[in-house]
Amino acid sequence: MTGVLLNVLGVEVHAQAPASLLAPLALYGPHAALSRPVTHRVQVQVRPGRRAPGPEAFTVRTHSAQVQVTPVGSTEVWIHGATQDAHLSVGREGSVITVHTDSAGPDEALMVAFTEVLRTQGFLPLHAAVLEQEGWVTALLGPSGTGKSTALLGALLSGARPVTEDYGLFEPATGLLHGLDAGLRCLPDTLARVRAAVPDLPEPPVVRGKALVTWEMLGAGQRWHAPLTHVEVLRRDGSEVSVRLLPLAQRVMNLWAATGVPILPSNRDWTNDAIGTLARELSWAERTVANHAG
């Protein structure tokens, strides 16, 4: 594939690479609602061979895998995945991601590199379900299995609007949370709960191993961009539901878990400042959900 791949809030990706290798970037679109005038261009190119991690390499865990990172300087880094080694170089007006691989298959290294570019442009990735209801825009945080999708589904069936199901970009400069998901991605048990709530649900397509129940199938109109006002941390513990205020230190801890560790030195202070602002300025609560919640 050669040409413009996608535009994510003004960050435009140009690629000279096989479509299969670029598949991880499909998380970011293309979505017409996320397109903006171009402010930063990213060139993705492929070279044969692999590059071994350097002696100063360290491990970074993502939400789906882990990579090794070899720092080069304040704006350059190597990211070593299972089948790829991605070199990222970030400039003022554009960035270059050079993928070294002998495989045309997808790998976490490219996704980590592009996410790091988005951080340099002022976008904080958040693994969260986000909804708008009664004037509140709420991000639901918590590890996999704590009931984020179930809570989101329940809110949608009671009139809430979805922003995103699992992943979004928070923009501190505007206070907006930008959604990236076009619907609920369901494993069989979650899909069964959706069908129980929506008996006339059309047969959803299967995307990357999960059924994609689009917002339209649920009769819910998506709001792609929304000013974040509230954060609720879900915790599964016992059989009773309870709600409590969350101390500042625990807010910060949960935000770091939701955004992941930045790998460029220039992004670390920025991420720390963004997390501090979210922790202090938004309304926060922790909700304990029953063990039988999904």
mmCIF file of all heavy atoms in Angstrom, residues 153-185:
data_model
loop_
_atom_site.group_PDB
_atom_site.id
_atom_site.type_symbol
_atom_site.label_atom_id
_atom_site.label_comp_id
_atom_site.label_asym_id
_atom_site.label_seq_id
_atom_site.Cartn_x
_atom_site.Cartn_y
_atom_site.Cartn_z
ATOM 1 N N LEU A 153 -23.027 -0.896 27.989
ATOM 2 C CA LEU A 153 -24.238 -1.391 27.363
ATOM 3 C C LEU A 153 -25.473 -0.995 28.169
ATOM 4 O O LEU A 153 -26.472 -0.529 27.607
ATOM 5 C CB LEU A 153 -24.166 -2.914 27.215
ATOM 6 C CG LEU A 153 -25.423 -3.595 26.665
ATOM 7 C CD1 LEU A 153 -25.729 -3.112 25.258
ATOM 8 C CD2 LEU A 153 -25.261 -5.115 26.695
ATOM 9 N N GLY A 154 -25.416 -1.166 29.489
ATOM 10 C CA GLY A 154 -26.546 -0.788 30.326
ATOM 11 C C GLY A 154 -26.880 0.684 30.209
ATOM 12 O O GLY A 154 -28.052 1.073 30.153
ATOM 13 N N ALA A 155 -25.837 1.527 30.151
ATOM 14 C CA ALA A 155 -26.068 2.961 30.015
ATOM 15 C C ALA A 155 -26.696 3.295 28.664
ATOM 16 O O ALA A 155 -27.604 4.132 28.574
ATOM 17 C CB ALA A 155 -24.760 3.719 30.201
ATOM 18 N N LEU A 156 -26.228 2.633 27.601
ATOM 19 C CA LEU A 156 -26.777 2.892 26.266
ATOM 20 C C LEU A 156 -28.245 2.510 26.199
ATOM 21 O O LEU A 156 -29.059 3.222 25.592
ATOM 22 C CB LEU A 156 -25.993 2.121 25.207
ATOM 23 C CG LEU A 156 -24.508 2.451 25.047
ATOM 24 C CD1 LEU A 156 -23.905 1.647 23.910
ATOM 25 C CD2 LEU A 156 -24.287 3.934 24.825
ATOM 26 N N LEU A 157 -28.604 1.401 26.817
ATOM 27 C CA LEU A 157 -29.996 0.956 26.792
ATOM 28 C C LEU A 157 -30.904 1.871 27.607
ATOM 29 O O LEU A 157 -32.126 1.827 27.444
ATOM 30 C CB LEU A 157 -30.094 -0.482 27.304
ATOM 31 C CG LEU A 157 -29.386 -1.537 26.439
ATOM 32 C CD1 LEU A 157 -29.446 -2.905 27.095
ATOM 33 C CD2 LEU A 157 -29.980 -1.583 25.036
ATOM 34 N N SER A 158 -30.308 2.695 28.467
ATOM 35 C CA SER A 158 -31.110 3.648 29.243
ATOM 36 C C SER A 158 -31.013 5.066 28.681
ATOM 37 O O SER A 158 -31.404 6.025 29.345
ATOM 38 C CB SER A 158 -30.678 3.632 30.711
ATOM 39 O OG SER A 158 -29.339 4.092 30.854
ATOM 40 N N GLY A 159 -30.460 5.195 27.452
ATOM 41 C CA GLY A 159 -30.499 6.487 26.781
ATOM 42 C C GLY A 159 -29.185 7.215 26.634
ATOM 43 O O GLY A 159 -29.150 8.313 26.069
ATOM 44 N N ALA A 160 -28.080 6.650 27.114
ATOM 45 C CA ALA A 160 -26.780 7.318 26.974
ATOM 46 C C ALA A 160 -26.301 7.251 25.527
ATOM 47 O O ALA A 160 -26.749 6.411 24.736
ATOM 48 C CB ALA A 160 -25.752 6.682 27.897
ATOM 49 N N ARG A 161 -25.376 8.146 25.192
ATOM 50 C CA ARG A 161 -24.739 8.126 23.876
ATOM 51 C C ARG A 161 -23.306 7.625 24.029
ATOM 52 O O ARG A 161 -22.589 8.038 24.950
ATOM 53 C CB ARG A 161 -24.712 9.531 23.253
ATOM 54 C CG ARG A 161 -26.056 10.075 22.866
ATOM 55 C CD ARG A 161 -25.909 11.453 22.244
ATOM 56 N NE ARG A 161 -25.164 11.420 20.983
ATOM 57 C CZ ARG A 161 -24.809 12.518 20.311
ATOM 58 N NH1 ARG A 161 -25.099 13.716 20.781
ATOM 59 N NH2 ARG A 161 -24.150 12.398 19.161
ATOM 60 N N PRO A 162 -22.857 6.744 23.139
ATOM 61 C CA PRO A 162 -21.482 6.263 23.222
ATOM 62 C C PRO A 162 -20.495 7.260 22.652
ATOM 63 O O PRO A 162 -20.794 7.972 21.691
ATOM 64 C CB PRO A 162 -21.521 4.995 22.366
ATOM 65 C CG PRO A 162 -22.564 5.294 21.320
ATOM 66 C CD PRO A 162 -23.600 6.128 22.019
ATOM 67 N N VAL A 163 -19.310 7.318 23.258
ATOM 68 C CA VAL A 163 -18.180 8.039 22.679
ATOM 69 C C VAL A 163 -17.158 7.021 22.165
ATOM 70 O O VAL A 163 -16.696 7.100 21.036
ATOM 71 C CB VAL A 163 -17.538 9.000 23.706
ATOM 72 C CG1 VAL A 163 -16.348 9.726 23.089
ATOM 73 C CG2 VAL A 163 -18.565 9.999 24.221
ATOM 74 N N THR A 164 -16.833 6.032 23.006
ATOM 75 C CA THR A 164 -15.962 4.949 22.570
ATOM 76 C C THR A 164 -16.144 3.763 23.508
ATOM 77 O O THR A 164 -16.589 3.937 24.651
ATOM 78 C CB THR A 164 -14.484 5.402 22.521
ATOM 79 O OG1 THR A 164 -13.721 4.512 21.730
ATOM 80 C CG2 THR A 164 -13.881 5.512 23.920
ATOM 81 N N GLU A 165 -15.824 2.562 23.022
ATOM 82 C CA GLU A 165 -16.038 1.359 23.827
ATOM 83 C C GLU A 165 -14.815 0.946 24.625
ATOM 84 O O GLU A 165 -14.929 0.451 25.753
ATOM 85 C CB GLU A 165 -16.457 0.200 22.912
ATOM 86 C CG GLU A 165 -16.782 -1.090 23.649
ATOM 87 C CD GLU A 165 -15.864 -2.248 23.285
ATOM 88 O OE1 GLU A 165 -15.012 -2.082 22.398
ATOM 89 O OE2 GLU A 165 -15.989 -3.311 23.908
ATOM 90 N N ASP A 166 -13.614 1.162 24.054
ATOM 91 C CA ASP A 166 -12.424 0.643 24.728
ATOM 92 C C ASP A 166 -11.213 1.566 24.623
ATOM 93 O O ASP A 166 -10.306 1.462 25.444
ATOM 94 C CB ASP A 166 -12.061 -0.732 24.133
ATOM 95 C CG ASP A 166 -10.865 -1.371 24.815
ATOM 96 O OD1 ASP A 166 -10.950 -1.642 26.031
ATOM 97 O OD2 ASP A 166 -9.840 -1.606 24.138
ATOM 98 N N TYR A 167 -11.214 2.464 23.650
ATOM 99 C CA TYR A 167 -9.989 3.223 23.399
ATOM 100 C C TYR A 167 -10.332 4.591 22.851
ATOM 101 O O TYR A 167 -11.176 4.730 21.962
ATOM 102 C CB TYR A 167 -9.118 2.454 22.392
ATOM 103 C CG TYR A 167 -7.679 2.922 22.295
ATOM 104 C CD1 TYR A 167 -6.829 2.874 23.394
ATOM 105 C CD2 TYR A 167 -7.163 3.409 21.095
ATOM 106 C CE1 TYR A 167 -5.512 3.282 23.300
ATOM 107 C CE2 TYR A 167 -5.842 3.813 20.994
ATOM 108 C CZ TYR A 167 -5.021 3.754 22.100
ATOM 109 O OH TYR A 167 -3.713 4.166 22.009
ATOM 110 N N GLY A 168 -9.664 5.618 23.392
ATOM 111 C CA GLY A 168 -9.869 6.973 22.916
ATOM 112 C C GLY A 168 -8.618 7.807 23.100
ATOM 113 O O GLY A 168 -7.619 7.355 23.670
ATOM 114 N N LEU A 169 -8.672 9.027 22.610
ATOM 115 C CA LEU A 169 -7.572 9.980 22.732
ATOM 116 C C LEU A 169 -8.072 11.215 23.456
ATOM 117 O O LEU A 169 -9.027 11.863 23.009
ATOM 118 C CB LEU A 169 -7.030 10.364 21.348
ATOM 119 C CG LEU A 169 -6.395 9.237 20.526
ATOM 120 C CD1 LEU A 169 -6.146 9.708 19.098
ATOM 121 C CD2 LEU A 169 -5.098 8.761 21.168
ATOM 122 N N PHE A 170 -7.430 11.537 24.585
ATOM 123 C CA PHE A 170 -7.782 12.751 25.318
ATOM 124 C C PHE A 170 -6.845 13.865 24.891
ATOM 125 O O PHE A 170 -5.630 13.679 24.799
ATOM 126 C CB PHE A 170 -7.673 12.533 26.828
ATOM 127 C CG PHE A 170 -7.986 13.771 27.621
ATOM 128 C CD1 PHE A 170 -9.274 14.265 27.683
ATOM 129 C CD2 PHE A 170 -6.979 14.455 28.283
ATOM 130 C CE1 PHE A 170 -9.567 15.429 28.397
ATOM 131 C CE2 PHE A 170 -7.255 15.607 29.004
ATOM 132 C CZ PHE A 170 -8.554 16.096 29.065
ATOM 133 N N GLU A 171 -7.429 15.030 24.623
ATOM 134 C CA GLU A 171 -6.674 16.186 24.158
ATOM 135 C C GLU A 171 -6.688 17.262 25.256
ATOM 136 O O GLU A 171 -7.668 17.996 25.396
ATOM 137 C CB GLU A 171 -7.300 16.723 22.866
ATOM 138 C CG GLU A 171 -6.523 17.823 22.199
ATOM 139 C CD GLU A 171 -7.147 18.243 20.880
ATOM 140 O OE1 GLU A 171 -8.303 17.871 20.602
ATOM 141 O OE2 GLU A 171 -6.467 18.963 20.125
ATOM 142 N N PRO A 172 -5.632 17.355 26.062
ATOM 143 C CA PRO A 172 -5.636 18.323 27.159
ATOM 144 C C PRO A 172 -5.862 19.760 26.714
ATOM 145 O O PRO A 172 -6.467 20.559 27.450
ATOM 146 C CB PRO A 172 -4.236 18.143 27.778
ATOM 147 C CG PRO A 172 -3.856 16.745 27.440
ATOM 148 C CD PRO A 172 -4.427 16.501 26.077
ATOM 149 N N ALA A 173 -5.410 20.119 25.532
ATOM 150 C CA ALA A 173 -5.540 21.506 25.066
ATOM 151 C C ALA A 173 -6.994 21.928 24.912
ATOM 152 O O ALA A 173 -7.323 23.111 25.056
ATOM 153 C CB ALA A 173 -4.793 21.688 23.745
ATOM 154 N N THR A 174 -7.887 20.978 24.619
ATOM 155 C CA THR A 174 -9.306 21.295 24.422
ATOM 156 C C THR A 174 -10.208 20.663 25.475
ATOM 157 O O THR A 174 -11.379 21.045 25.585
ATOM 158 C CB THR A 174 -9.776 20.808 23.040
ATOM 159 O OG1 THR A 174 -9.641 19.368 22.984
ATOM 160 C CG2 THR A 174 -8.941 21.427 21.928
ATOM 161 N N GLY A 175 -9.692 19.684 26.225
ATOM 162 C CA GLY A 175 -10.519 18.952 27.169
ATOM 163 C C GLY A 175 -11.403 17.902 26.531
ATOM 164 O O GLY A 175 -12.250 17.303 27.200
ATOM 165 N N LEU A 176 -11.206 17.646 25.235
ATOM 166 C CA LEU A 176 -12.066 16.709 24.519
ATOM 167 C C LEU A 176 -11.513 15.291 24.567
ATOM 168 O O LEU A 176 -10.299 15.075 24.469
ATOM 169 C CB LEU A 176 -12.217 17.127 23.055
ATOM 170 C CG LEU A 176 -12.965 18.433 22.788
ATOM 171 C CD1 LEU A 176 -12.917 18.765 21.304
ATOM 172 C CD2 LEU A 176 -14.413 18.326 23.266
ATOM 173 N N LEU A 177 -12.432 14.335 24.695
ATOM 174 C CA LEU A 177 -12.104 12.927 24.520
ATOM 175 C C LEU A 177 -12.591 12.536 23.133
ATOM 176 O O LEU A 177 -13.778 12.676 22.812
ATOM 177 C CB LEU A 177 -12.782 12.087 25.604
ATOM 178 C CG LEU A 177 -12.382 10.611 25.800
ATOM 179 C CD1 LEU A 177 -12.825 9.726 24.653
ATOM 180 C CD2 LEU A 177 -10.908 10.460 26.062
ATOM 181 N N HIS A 178 -11.691 12.038 22.310
ATOM 182 C CA HIS A 178 -12.021 11.642 20.941
ATOM 183 C C HIS A 178 -12.183 10.125 20.894
ATOM 184 O O HIS A 178 -11.258 9.375 21.228
ATOM 185 C CB HIS A 178 -10.919 12.086 19.976
ATOM 186 C CG HIS A 178 -10.595 13.547 20.056
ATOM 187 N ND1 HIS A 178 -11.384 14.514 19.467
ATOM 188 C CD2 HIS A 178 -9.580 14.214 20.675
ATOM 189 C CE1 HIS A 178 -10.858 15.709 19.696
ATOM 190 N NE2 HIS A 178 -9.770 15.557 20.435
ATOM 191 N N GLY A 179 -13.358 9.656 20.467
ATOM 192 C CA GLY A 179 -13.624 8.231 20.403
ATOM 193 C C GLY A 179 -13.018 7.587 19.173
ATOM 194 O O GLY A 179 -12.877 8.222 18.127
ATOM 195 N N LEU A 180 -12.667 6.313 19.287
ATOM 196 C CA LEU A 180 -12.057 5.574 18.185
ATOM 197 C C LEU A 180 -12.829 4.316 17.808
ATOM 198 O O LEU A 180 -12.556 3.727 16.767
ATOM 199 C CB LEU A 180 -10.615 5.194 18.535
ATOM 200 C CG LEU A 180 -9.631 6.350 18.686
ATOM 201 C CD1 LEU A 180 -8.315 5.853 19.274
ATOM 202 C CD2 LEU A 180 -9.383 7.027 17.344
ATOM 203 N N ASP A 181 -13.773 3.890 18.636
ATOM 204 C CA ASP A 181 -14.472 2.621 18.396
ATOM 205 C C ASP A 181 -15.840 2.864 17.770
ATOM 206 O O ASP A 181 -16.589 3.744 18.195
ATOM 207 C CB ASP A 181 -14.645 1.852 19.708
ATOM 208 C CG ASP A 181 -13.310 1.456 20.313
ATOM 209 O OD1 ASP A 181 -12.424 1.042 19.546
ATOM 210 O OD2 ASP A 181 -13.152 1.555 21.544
ATOM 211 N N ALA A 182 -16.177 2.038 16.776
ATOM 212 C CA ALA A 182 -17.436 2.174 16.050
ATOM 213 C C ALA A 182 -18.551 1.316 16.639
ATOM 214 O O ALA A 182 -19.649 1.276 16.091
ATOM 215 C CB ALA A 182 -17.238 1.817 14.576
ATOM 216 N N GLY A 183 -18.283 0.628 17.738
ATOM 217 C CA GLY A 183 -19.299 -0.208 18.352
ATOM 218 C C GLY A 183 -18.705 -1.060 19.453
ATOM 219 O O GLY A 183 -17.552 -0.878 19.850
ATOM 220 N N LEU A 184 -19.513 -1.998 19.959
ATOM 221 C CA LEU A 184 -19.061 -2.933 20.982
ATOM 222 C C LEU A 184 -18.421 -4.138 20.305
ATOM 223 O O LEU A 184 -19.036 -4.778 19.445
ATOM 224 C CB LEU A 184 -20.247 -3.411 21.825
ATOM 225 C CG LEU A 184 -20.901 -2.422 22.781
ATOM 226 C CD1 LEU A 184 -22.170 -3.034 23.351
ATOM 227 C CD2 LEU A 184 -19.950 -2.050 23.913
ATOM 228 N N ARG A 185 -17.194 -4.474 20.705
ATOM 229 C CA ARG A 185 -16.532 -5.676 20.203
ATOM 230 C C ARG A 185 -16.723 -6.775 21.234
ATOM 231 O O ARG A 185 -16.235 -6.674 22.354
ATOM 232 C CB ARG A 185 -15.051 -5.389 19.948
ATOM 233 C CG ARG A 185 -14.818 -4.447 18.782
ATOM 234 C CD ARG A 185 -13.396 -3.998 18.683
ATOM 235 N NE ARG A 185 -13.032 -3.146 19.814
ATOM 236 C CZ ARG A 185 -11.824 -2.613 19.976
ATOM 237 N NH1 ARG A 185 -10.875 -2.856 19.105
ATOM 238 N NH2 ARG A 185 -11.581 -1.846 21.011
#
